[in-house]
Amino acid sequence: MIKVTNIQKQYEEAVLKGVDYTFETNQVYLISGPMGCGKSTLLKIIIGLEQPTVGSVETDIKPSQFSFNEPWHYLYEGASVQANINLYQKLFKTPDLLKKDLITKYQLTSMLKKKVSSLSSGNKKKVSLVCTLMNANMQALILDEPLTNLDKDTIEILKNDLKELKPNRTIILTSHQYTEIKDAVDVHLHIESGVLLEGEY
């Protein structure tokens, strides 16, 4: 469970103007809205990367149980795909079987020795998603625009993963590509005038 109460965020102008919502376990939430409406800001507040100007976040999930992926995830461009994955395995204490399954599923086997800098944007995204999903203790999965640069086959793989990961977890994602992801979504939210509302817009 993740409960946000009266979340407000002010930069030069107010982005979030009073967000109240409780994200439950066993659910996949999609947050949509125009660019600059505060989607990414809200996700970063939820995981603690940013602090709200006003408001609070309550959760029974430990920081180590959150997995976060943003449009350009934290990868070492000068290192190989294998080295990046091994680093996250060490960080998350990922079982070898889970790592191998993700590498195979996201079709990374043939590029393990390649430097990340040499990959296409779509393949970089696949590597970043695999790194994010290797957290075996994950109780909350937070994905900011996870479909960016992904091909249709990989989107289907990700959708299936979201469905498999949903039990006993809270999953929140943002995306402009609602049509492609809607089959895996339980609750569609949108941000309008700085407020989080249920339903399409």
Side-chain angles (χ1 to χ4, degrees):
M1 179 275 293
I2 302 168
K3 182 179 181 181
V4 296
T5 304
N6 191 32
I7 294 293
Q8 301 176 41
K9 185 64 177 181
Q10 180 92 27
Y11 295 109
E12 291 184 2
E13 298 180 358
V15 177
L16 300 173
K17 300 179 182 178
V19 173
D20 292 284
Y21 200 82
T22 300
F23 299 91
E24 303 286 357
T25 55
N26 307 306
Q27 297 287 296
V28 177
Y29 296 88
L30 169 68
I31 302 175
S32 59
M35 186 175 294
C37 73
K39 301 186 300 295
S40 297
T41 299
L42 179 58
L43 296 189
K44 289 179 179 178
I45 289 172
I46 285 172
I47 65 172
L49 284 180
E50 289 195 25
Q51 294 301 311
T53 307
V54 176
S56 63
V57 179
E58 299 174 53
T59 181
D60 53 2
I61 302 169
K62 298 175 182 178
S64 62
Q65 295 174 326
F66 277 83
S67 271
F68 175 59
N69 184 282
E70 55 186 339
W72 295 112
H73 196 49
Y74 309 106
L75 297 174
Y76 289 92
E77 294 269 336
S80 68
V81 171
Q82 183 75 73
N84 274 272
I85 290 174
N86 287 348
L87 178 64
Y88 278 86
Q89 180 183 25
K90 185 175 181 180
L91 175 67
F92 290 138
K93 298 180 174 61
T94 310
D96 287 337
L97 187 60
L98 174 57
K99 181 181 77 169
K100 183 178 179 180
D101 177 61
L102 287 168
I103 288 171
T104 302
K105 187 187 300 183
Y106 284 86
Q107 301 176 334
L108 298 181
T109 305
S110 64
M111 60 188 80
L112 289 175
K113 295 181 180 180
K114 294 182 179 180
K115 285 188 176 181
V116 170
S117 59
S118 71
L119 302 181
S120 67
S121 56
N123 283 331
K124 287 181 182 179
K125 187 63 179 181
K126 291 201 291 186
V127 175
S128 75
L129 284 170
V130 165
C131 290
T132 300
L133 295 172
M134 286 204 302
N135 187 351
N137 295 316
M138 175 174 56
Q139 294 300 309
L141 178 60
I142 313 296
L143 304 173
D144 192 3
E145 295 292 345
L147 307 189
T148 302
N149 298 314
L150 291 184
D151 58 81
K152 290 182 179 179
D153 289 343
T154 307
I155 289 174
E156 287 301 314
I157 293 168
L158 178 60
K159 284 167 57 176
N160 288 333
D161 270 350
L162 294 178
K163 293 173 185 176
E164 290 178 9
L165 289 167
K166 182 172 69 169
N168 302 312
R169 294 185 177 93
T170 302
I171 301 176
I172 309 170
L173 62 141
T174 68
S175 181
H176 290 96
Q177 298 168 256
Y178 174 60
T179 302
E180 288 88 340
I181 198 68
K182 65 180 181 180
D183 292 345
V185 171
D186 296 303
V187 181
H188 188 182
L189 307 165
H190 72 279
I191 295 178
E192 182 177 315
S193 301
V195 178
L196 187 66
L197 304 170
E198 282 199 7
E200 299 179 42
Y201 67 100

